[in-house]
Amino acid sequence: MNKKHATLFKILLALFALNSITLYLYFSSSHHHNDNRRDTTAEGFPAIIPHRGPHLSKPWPIIPSYLPWSLTSNVPSKSCEAYFGNGFTKSADVLPAKAAVRSGSSWFRCHYSGTLRSSICEGGKIRMDPGKIKMSRGGEKLEDVIGRTEDEEMPEFEDGAFEVEAEERGSRSKTKKLVGEEFLNEFLPVGNVMKHTMRELVRSIVVVGETDFTCQETQLEETWKALFSSLRYAKNFSGPVCFRHAVLSPLGYETALFKGLSEDIDCQGASAHDLWQSPDDKKTARLSEFGEMIRDAFGFPVNRHHSDKAVSGHYNILFVRREDYLAHPRHRGKVESRLSNEQEVFDSLQKWASDHQECKVNLVNGLFAHMSMKEQVRAIQDASVIIGAHGAGLTHTVSATPNTVILEIISSFFRRPHFQLIAQWKGLEYHAINLDGSYANPGVVIDRLNKIMRSLGC
């Protein structure tokens, strides 16, 4: 082996060693090991969640936008990481996990975010009694529920709707509340929410002794085969059920997406690679990370970019359809359209696509109401441009790949920046056509789409 080859061999060996170390650090930080799972808390130490039996949780997927959570409480308030990552500023071990490991009893704790002003709570060995939860039955005829208020559809929890077990000391323990009003005000403040169902749920939790805590049915985590591929409502259980590990998430009103309607969340989407090299409190890859987790859960590749889609000069334009429907009984039976001439716009775009000469354009009819979730996610990831009227279907843009362009048609009756914010926080190019009413001029839509296609090199 001559000197040149020897030097090249050493370089390759060094690169292989560096790659091996990188992979080790990635998997050791992003995957769980053995029977104990790591959970980052504001105090900066890994807390042990008691676990018995085989590990049933899904492993963390290998995704391009993965970034480890900070293990410290030094995340600046109102920063991107505080909104979308580990912004928890304090935690409370109401029933400590270490004691639960020793005794086999329940554990419970809450993590509070000062930025979002809400908590995520979790616990182990929790018993739910659906008989003590009052909720709407569901499945009623639409005519029977017209005019029903939102509060009437929210669940109401009696004391003991949820139970946790504590060690019995001396004589038989008396039933008592898990937390009091002071804890609720500190970790689950009411804020601007008229009816705080998570606060009321936690308020209902009582502590009982071992002799009073019985589990005839246990709900295990393996039922969640994909991200959220299995769903069961509390009202569907015929009797009490126990949960090995339960996570209580805050209301949608307390998430960054909803708070973005009233607060200026100054965050721009960026790649995880760029943030690794140059951390920035005003940039985030968390929404892209979440979107990649969704795609991975359905078995789709997570390393696809816009350049992969258009490599052969073929562009998918996804038109997300929004069928007129009665969105909620409180609308009193009135059907409200976000785009009154949606079919006319679609037909015009179809003709435009068939006549397009500069490159191959395929207009995809996104009838999401008639597509499985997997088909919807596939359509989103394959799209170079996503166009549609303001509506829930555009929430899927969280799963869009980098460099996808969003064109939202906004009725004057529904001017809310939900999807502009998602695009901003993912770093996607966003355009809007603001209507005077709910009618869109097809020529205006095509003109805007032509400009977007030219910017893509088509």
Side-chain angles (χ1 to χ4, degrees), residues 90 96 99 202 225 230 253 333 374 401 438 451:
K90 60 183 176 182
V202 175
K225 295 177 182 178
S230 177
Y253 301 117
K374 185 171 184 176
T401 57
S438 61
K451 292 178 181 177

Side-chain angles (χ1 to χ4, degrees), residues 372-402:
S372 68
M373 183 64 72
K374 185 171 184 176
E375 290 172 331
Q376 294 176 43
V377 174
R378 178 187 286 113
I380 288 288
Q381 78 155 10
D382 289 344
S384 298
V385 180
I386 299 171
I387 179 173
H390 180 93
L394 290 180
T395 306
H396 276 304
T397 53
V398 73
S399 298
T401 57

Side-chain angles (χ1 to χ4, degrees), residues 82-366:
Y83 276 110
F84 300 108
N86 186 8
F88 300 114
T89 49
K90 60 183 176 182
S91 298
D93 283 305
V94 184
L95 295 177
K98 291 182 179 179
V101 171
R102 182 185 67 252
S103 65
S105 57
S106 304
W107 60 273
F108 192 87
R109 63 186 172 199
C110 290
H111 312 276
Y112 179 79
S113 166
T115 295
L116 294 175
R117 301 181 297 282
S118 65
S119 293
I120 290 178
C121 299
E122 59 176 337
K125 201 174 182 181
I126 296 179
R127 182 177 183 267
M128 178 186 72
D129 185 351
K132 295 183 178 180
I133 305 175
K134 180 184 177 182
M135 65 197 86
S136 59
R137 179 169 55 86
E140 303 99 324
K141 292 181 179 179
L142 198 58
E143 296 78 10
D144 295 339
V145 297
I146 288 177
R148 177 187 288 173
T149 64
E150 187 173 13
D151 279 353
E152 291 179 89
E153 296 182 334
M154 294 291 189
E156 296 180 4
F157 304 96
E158 298 178 17
D159 289 351
F162 289 83
E163 293 179 351
V164 290
E165 177 194 325
E167 287 186 88
E168 293 179 326
R169 299 182 181 276
S171 59
R172 183 172 175 174
S173 300
K174 295 182 179 180
T175 299
K176 64 177 183 179
K177 287 289 191 75
L178 176 65
V179 298
E181 290 299 312
E182 183 178 351
F183 178 92
L184 293 172
N185 291 335
E186 182 178 358
F187 281 85
L188 295 166
V190 174
N192 297 323
V193 181
M194 297 298 293
K195 190 170 184 179
H196 200 308
T197 52
M198 181 176 167
R199 176 187 171 103
E200 296 307 309
L201 186 158
V202 175
R203 188 204 299 272
S204 78
I205 302 177
V206 298
V207 182
V208 299
E210 181 180 359
T211 55
D212 296 320
F213 191 93
T214 58
C215 287
Q216 296 178 339
E217 182 180 357
T218 301
Q219 185 74 2
L220 298 176
E221 292 172 352
E222 70 264 32
T223 59
W224 297 68
K225 295 177 182 178
L227 191 64
F228 295 104
S229 63
S230 177
L231 179 66
R232 193 172 179 185
Y233 291 99
K235 62 188 176 188
N236 297 140
F237 289 98
S238 58
V241 60
C242 292
F243 298 90
R244 182 181 64 78
H245 183 195
V247 179
L248 308 178
S249 60
L251 296 168
Y253 301 117
E254 298 181 308
T255 62
L257 182 59
F258 194 84
K259 289 185 179 294
L261 302 179
S262 57
E263 301 178 15
D264 182 18
I265 302 180
D266 185 16
C267 290
Q268 295 290 331
S271 71
H273 177 268
D274 290 345
L275 291 175
W276 267 110
Q277 295 184 328
S278 181
D280 190 332
D281 291 336
K282 300 297 183 182
K283 294 181 179 180
T284 183
R286 295 299 180 196
L287 266 74
S288 295
E289 182 181 24
F290 179 58
E292 289 166 4
M293 289 181 67
I294 294 174
R295 286 158 54 199
D296 179 85
F298 288 105
F300 295 127
V302 293
N303 57 352
R304 294 184 59 182
H305 288 66
H306 163 68
S307 57
D308 301 324
K309 305 175 195 173
V311 67
S312 61
H314 185 104
Y315 295 84
N316 276 352
I317 312 297
L318 172 63
F319 191 99
V320 178
R321 307 292 294 271
R322 182 182 176 87
E323 296 179 341
D324 292 343
Y325 70 104
L326 185 59
H328 196 281
R330 62 177 175 271
H331 289 183
R332 301 189 181 279
K334 181 182 178 182
V335 175
E336 298 176 342
S337 175
R338 306 291 174 90
L339 182 57
S340 58
N341 64 322
E342 181 181 87
Q343 187 62 48
E344 179 188 5
V345 173
F346 178 79
D347 292 342
S348 298
L349 289 177
Q350 204 163 37
K351 184 177 185 306
W352 166 83
S354 63
D355 294 341
H356 206 272
Q357 301 297 323
E358 288 77 4
C359 57
K360 176 65 176 176
V361 173
N362 177 40
L363 182 66
V364 179
N365 191 5

